[in-house]
Structure formats: structure tokens, C-alpha cells
Amino acid sequence: MAALDGLPPLRDVIARHGLDAKKSLGQNFILDLNLTQKVARTAGSLEGATVFEIGPGPGGLTRAILALGAAKVIAVERDARCLAALAEIQAHYPGRLEVIEGDALKTDFEALADGKPVKIIANLPYNVGTQLLVNWLLPRQWPPFWSSLTLMFQKEVGQRIVAGEDDNHYGRLGVLCGWRTQAHMAFDIPPQAFTPPPKVTSTVVHLEPRPTPLPCDPAKLERVTTAAFGQRRKMLRQSVKSIGGEALLARAEIDPQRRAETLSVEEFCRLANLL
Ligand code: SAM
């Protein structure tokens, strides 16, 4: 049976193009187009939007994004085996899908955006997802070139992204995300929804840039959070010893007996600004 967009079912596409999932590329495909549409809808209205997708694979999420009205999708895929399957989608949506064969970690997304606002949507390969997210959070220019990130992660990583103080998952990633973005977990996806199923539950996280984050140098913030969370069970007087210890904490008016996970993002920024 053909899918609603008139293109063949993904199971057929995968069989026809011999796209056996490669573990080394983090390939766990979603074949249910209702589910890929649910993921794409989390990004808000896509009507007329430019979307960057990372790792389109056989194109399930790509098809959902296009069906929801994106004017243009630029997809970066490392696995050349997927290109023929993606070419069929290009033919179905003339002029609306550009495919770049390459490594997303080496792609200059800001240059690709070329000054236009873009939304980024991806079922990320788990081995590169966190690094890509951190790269997108660290441009000097803020607000950044993207207007939203809608990304799938292992649930445990999603929990670290949205965590605030006094949460067991709060750490360097939570501080960085909380500083520059507003992030929330939209919904979970069980392992059985993927082919092949991964070992863990996944979750869709949506992030939007804060228009005016607290002024802070990202490199200094990173120094503070690395020190503080490097020994998260210890009191701050011990864990931040290497970057100023009690004297630094006194200047920031932060009790040296507190632990890293009790500090708000604002307090981390205060410490960073005193380095
Ligand atoms: N988007 C498809 C879906 O939802 O079914 C596939 C998602 S699969 C989890 C991850 C995809 O990312 C695979 O197609 C894989 O080949 C691709 N990939 C892995 N590493 C990559 C990298 N460094 N740059 C670009 N694509 C990559």
C-alpha cells in the first residue's frame, strides 16, 4: 500500500535500496510516517520554512517535513547508500530537497543558512548528537542562525538537556542549554518504533534560543561547570579549588558548602564572569 504522500512505504524503499542498518552510523530508522509527522510537528508550523535535517537515511522524517509544507529541506547524510532513495523524494518534491553527502560534524551550517532563519529537525545518530547540539549552542553570535532545534536523543540525554538545579540529571549540558535556550522534552519514543530497535527509549527535545541570555563567555562557563560537576558530590569549596576556590565563591556570594547541582544557571554565569 502506498503511503499518504504517494511515495512507496519505507519498508519497500529500504529493501529496494539494500539499506541494511549500519550500527557504526547509528542507524535506527523510523518507518511509521505518522510518527515522523508527530516529530516534525513538534517544530511548530513548517509552512514555507527552511529546514536542515541531519541524517535523513531512507527519508521517513524528510518526507514528513516536506508533507507538512516546508519550502526547502537541506539534508546532510553521511551514508552514500541512502542517496538513491533520497533522489526519489527529490523527484517527488521538485526543487524542495537538497541532499549534501557528508559528515554533519564537519558541515558549516551557519554558512549554509546564508542569513535566512532555519529550523533544525533530526533523528540524530546517537554517537554524534550531543556534539552537534553543543556546536549549535556555542556560536559567538546570539541569537544564532537557527530559530529552533527539534531533536531526538536517548531519553537519558534528553533529561540532561532539560535538567535544572536540584535535578539528578543536571550537569554541564543542562547549564549550557538552560543558559542560552528554553528546552523541553516533547514525548518519548519506545525502542519498538525503530528498525532495528535500539536498547533504550528515545525522546524528542525542542529547544528555542533565549533572545537575551545572561551575558557570559561560553569558554569561562565551560571551565566553571567542568570543575564544579567534575566532583559533583563534593562541596564547591573543594570542586572549584583549581579555578579560584573559596575566594572566588566569596566574591560571587555563593556558600562554599553548597554542591554543584544546587547552583542555578545564573549563579554559574556569575562565577564565570568573575574568572
Ligand atoms: N532520519 C532517519 C529516520 O528518522 O528514520 C534516520 C535516522 S538514523 C538514527 C541516523 C542517520 O544519520 C543515519 O541515516 C546515518 O547514516 C546518519 N549519520 C550518521 N552519522 C552521521 C554524520 N556524522 N553526519 C551525517 N549523517 C550521519
Side-chain angles (χ1 to χ4, degrees), residues 227-228 231 235-249:
Q231 305 179 53
M235 289 182 198
L236 286 166
R237 74 149 68 92
Q238 175 64 32
S239 57
V240 301
K241 219 171 194 167
S242 62
I243 55 165
E246 295 217 32
L248 174 72
L249 292 162

Side-chain angles (χ1 to χ4, degrees), residues 25-30 53 55-57 76-78 102-104 123 125:
L25 287 173
Q27 291 183 337
N28 302 97
F29 303 131
I30 300 184
E53 189 197 354
V76 181
E77 173 58 61
R78 199 170 174 185
D103 182 346
N123 174 6

Side-chain angles (χ1 to χ4, degrees), residues 23-254:
K23 211 173 172 186
S24 60
L25 287 173
Q27 291 183 337
N28 302 97
F29 303 131
I30 300 184
L31 308 189
D32 176 351
L33 291 165
N34 289 317
L35 184 53
T36 56
Q37 288 222 6
K38 187 172 172 190
V39 175
R41 264 193 234 104
T42 308
S45 169
L46 296 180
E47 205 59 54
T50 299
V51 175
F52 289 171
E53 189 197 354
I54 292 75
L61 186 53
T62 322
R63 283 165 60 170
I65 297 166
L66 287 163
L68 288 172
K72 175 99 193 169
V73 177
I74 301 180
V76 181
E77 173 58 61
R78 199 170 174 185
D79 186 352
R81 296 179 312 156
C82 299
L83 301 184
L86 294 168
E88 294 176 2
I89 306 174
Q90 284 175 310
H92 193 76
Y93 291 100
R96 288 173 58 194
L97 172 61
E98 183 182 332
V99 179
I100 298 175
E101 183 194 346
D103 182 346
L105 285 172
K106 296 185 184 142
T107 304
D108 185 346
F109 290 100
E110 190 155 6
L112 270 182
D114 198 20
K116 290 183 217 72
V118 298
K119 295 188 175 204
I120 299 182
I121 306 178
N123 174 6
L124 290 170
Y126 289 146
N127 44 355
V128 295
T130 314
Q131 188 55 55
L132 279 172
L133 171 62
V134 169
N135 294 350
W136 290 325
L137 291 178
L138 287 179
R140 292 232 154 253
Q141 188 86 357
W142 201 268
F145 66 92
W146 46 269
S147 61
S148 69
L149 305 174
T150 305
L151 309 171
M152 212 177 299
F153 288 99
Q154 300 178 44
K155 184 164 184 182
E156 189 266 333
V157 177
Q159 285 168 321
R160 288 201 277 128
I161 290 169
V162 304
E165 69 257 40
D166 295 324
D167 179 329
N168 282 341
H169 296 96
Y170 188 46
R172 289 162 56 194
L173 195 56
V175 174
L176 181 59
C177 293
W179 169 48
R180 280 194 149 170
T181 74
Q182 278 182 304
H184 74 274
M185 291 207 290
F187 59 94
D188 290 347
I189 305 186
Q192 316 82 272
F194 297 85
T195 304
K199 289 205 175 67
V200 293
T201 297
S202 302
T203 198
V204 177
V205 182
H206 183 76
L207 303 98
E208 294 193 1
R210 288 186 192 279
T212 48
L214 295 167
C216 188
D217 174 352
K220 289 183 179 168
L221 186 61
E222 176 70 10
R223 275 179 68 199
V224 175
T225 55
T226 302
F229 287 108
Q231 305 179 53
R232 62 186 298 143
R233 302 273 161 245
K234 298 240 166 84
M235 289 182 198
L236 286 166
R237 74 149 68 92
Q238 175 64 32
S239 57
V240 301
K241 219 171 194 167
S242 62
I243 55 165
E246 295 217 32
L248 174 72
L249 292 162
R251 284 165 62 217
E253 296 178 14
I254 292 174

